[in-house]
Structure formats: C-alpha cells, structure tokens
Amino acid sequence: MSVNWKRFVDQISHYQSFVLVSHVRPDCDALGSELGMAHVLRQIGKDVRIINAHRVPPSLQFLDPAGNIEILGDDVEPEDISADCILILDTSAWVQLGDMADVVRAASCDKMVLDHHVGEDDMGATMYKDYQAEACGTLVVQAADALGVPITRQMAQPLFAAIATDTGWFRFGSVTAETYRVIARLVDAGVVPAEVYSDLYERDTLARLKLRGLILSRTQSELDGALMHTYVETRDFEAVGALPSDTEDSINLTLAVANTKAAVIFVGQRLGGFKISFRSRCDLAVNEIAQQFGGGGHKAAAGAFQEGTLSDVQTRVLPVMIEALKKVLSP
C-alpha cells in the first residue's frame, strides 16, 4: 500500500490551520515526523501547532530546542484546541494517542493520518499509509516533495533522527537503497550524522546507565539462546533515579548475544500493568504476536500493553512468543 500523494496534496490545500498529533511515549520517529511536517506545512503558509499527550523525553529534547511541542494538560487545555484539520502521525490506533484521543474524537474538524504501521482503527480520518516505509519520517520527506517544499536543515535534522532510529541506525531489514538516497538528501541539507548520533547515544545520564545495567543483569534466555527476555518494574526507576523513557533501546542490547533471534522486555507502568516491546531478527513477525495482546507495530519491532503483575504478564506472553519462535526455527 502506497500513499496517494495527489490526493494528500489536494486535501492539505483545503485547510489553513493544523494540529499535529502523535503517539504516547513519543520516540524519535514520532517527534521527528511532527517537527518535520510542521516545518513543511509552515513553508507553504499554513498555521501549525504540535500537541501531544506526553512530554518530550529529556534524552530527545535536542530535537525541539525551541519547545514548539505543546503538552496536553500542561501547556494547553482541550477546550483551547481548534484547527481546520488534525493530522495524526506515526500511529493509526486510538489507544496510542493517550489523552489526546478524546480531543481528536470530540473535534468537529477533518482528520488525516500519515503512518507506516500495519493495522488501523476507525479514526474517522482519511488514511495515508505505506506499510513498506521504514519510518514515518520517510513519508514526511515524500510529503515535502509532493508539496514542492525544499528540504531545509531545520526539517532535515529531526527527519534524519526519525529514520535513523526507526531503522536501528540502518541495521534493520526495512532498509533499502532508497533509504540511503533519502538520507543523502538530508545530509546534503546540512545534517551531520555524527552530531545526531552523539545527541542520541552519547548524552546518557548516570541513572540511565544504571537502569540499563539492571535490565541487562536480569536478561534470561529461552530456546538455547534464540530468545532473550528481561524486565524493569516501576520501583526500579526510583531506585536508580531514572525515567521510564530511559528504557528506550535497551531491548536492542539483548540482541547482541550471539545466535539470538528475538527479544522481549516488560516495562512496568506508573498506573499499573506492563508495556511489552518485541524485537525480531529472523522471520518471526512480532507484530502478529503483539496483535494477540492488543498491540501492533512492524514485523521486526512491535509493542503491546497488558494489565496484571509481572508474573501474570510474563506467563501470558512468553509461552506465545516461545511457540511462535519454535515454528520459525523448525527445519
């Protein structure tokens, strides 16, 4: 499925003001896509606000140094939000919008979705989706091209971060020759990859480092090392002084073990239950597993949420993951 860019451009032309929204616990692709799209729309004279349910993680604040992203309940109240169109980026699921879901549902304006995830809810929006796109940031670059907007350094940096992180810094199977052509354009626009990498991975706090150590120390293996799984509970954040966002990318570290094909991490949530992140480095489609638990994502990276204690959730999820991986590994 590819995006009908002519239809996208025609629809954009009908509106003057936009509110851009993305998913809770925003990552680089969510934030980079919002910031990149905001620059694109402003280049063609549109009025744009970015409003999210969750604050930008401290580790990603370098993407928005001017503080352009507003937070629902802190910077703006629902009754103060109005626009000709709400554009949802990097998700097609109500649950992923958090408290912004109620705002979007109640809004009488038109809605659009620009996304690369498989599966979708009925959001009463016009869907523009490409399941083959490696990142939503890639779709924003294509949107800029369709709208005739040149890529500037200001929009290139967040879009580079979006694509780089959603491809595991160009390690995942979603990367194609076209990925590098897009990245080359962003570098030509002024992005310095070494600076983005440093901002992303060489600005850790001591608390984040300690949390990663704790997560890695709890890693266990199944199926002779083909599956790795670990966990972090809410009390652990306070114990080391870390934030929930400090778990970002920890699961990928477990995949460094030789012969590991898949990994799972269970992350305790402040209001109860566990966020589950799945990763695959083989033919196992973890988005199909995530869907069994009310989640979704990509073949190689997906997520879900489950209520219950750590033991309850692990008992529910791990056997499904193990059986699915067994089938893939069987000759």
Side-chain angles (χ1 to χ4, degrees), residues 244-324:
S245 59
D246 288 328
T247 61
E248 184 72 27
D249 204 47
S250 293
I251 185 175
N252 293 324
L253 299 177
T254 66
L255 292 167
V257 179
N259 300 317
T260 296
K261 305 300 182 184
V264 185
I265 185 172
F266 302 87
V267 180
Q269 302 298 295
R270 182 174 57 86
L271 298 178
F274 284 79
K275 176 190 173 187
I276 311 155
S277 292
F278 304 89
R279 294 292 184 273
S280 172
R281 294 294 178 270
C282 62
D283 289 336
L284 178 67
V286 289
N287 58 327
E288 295 178 3
I289 294 175
Q291 286 167 9
Q292 296 181 49
F293 298 101
H298 306 289
K299 180 181 178 181
F305 171 81
Q306 286 284 287
E307 297 280 3
T309 65
L310 175 63
S311 178
D312 290 339
V313 176
Q314 286 178 321
T315 301
R316 215 175 294 151
V317 174
L318 285 176
V320 175
M321 188 73 172
I322 290 170
E323 287 305 309

Side-chain angles (χ1 to χ4, degrees), residues 211 232-247 267-269:
L211 185 69
V232 57
E233 298 187 84
T234 52
R235 61 189 176 188
D236 296 325
F237 297 119
E238 185 176 352
V240 299
L243 300 170
S245 59
D246 288 328
T247 61
V267 180
Q269 302 298 295

Side-chain angles (χ1 to χ4, degrees), residues 13-95:
S13 69
H14 289 132
Y15 313 122
Q16 177 57 38
S17 59
F18 291 81
V19 167
L20 308 187
V21 180
S22 193
H23 55 76
V24 294
R25 297 179 293 275
D27 57 9
C28 268
D29 197 21
L31 299 170
S33 296
E34 288 179 309
L35 291 163
M37 181 59 77
H39 289 309
V40 170
L41 293 174
R42 287 173 182 142
Q43 288 280 83
I44 57 173
K46 307 298 185 181
D47 303 317
V48 186
R49 297 173 74 181
I50 305 172
I51 305 175
N52 287 340
H54 284 184
R55 190 164 294 281
V56 177
S59 60
L60 300 182
Q61 284 179 348
F62 75 94
L63 292 172
D64 185 30
N68 288 317
I69 298 176
E70 301 176 78
I71 309 304
L72 184 68
D74 290 344
D75 305 314
V76 60
E77 297 301 323
E79 58 270 21
D80 299 322
I81 299 173
S82 63
D84 298 330
C85 178
I86 294 176
L87 176 53
I88 303 163
L89 297 153
D90 199 37
T91 184
S92 311
W94 283 119
V95 68

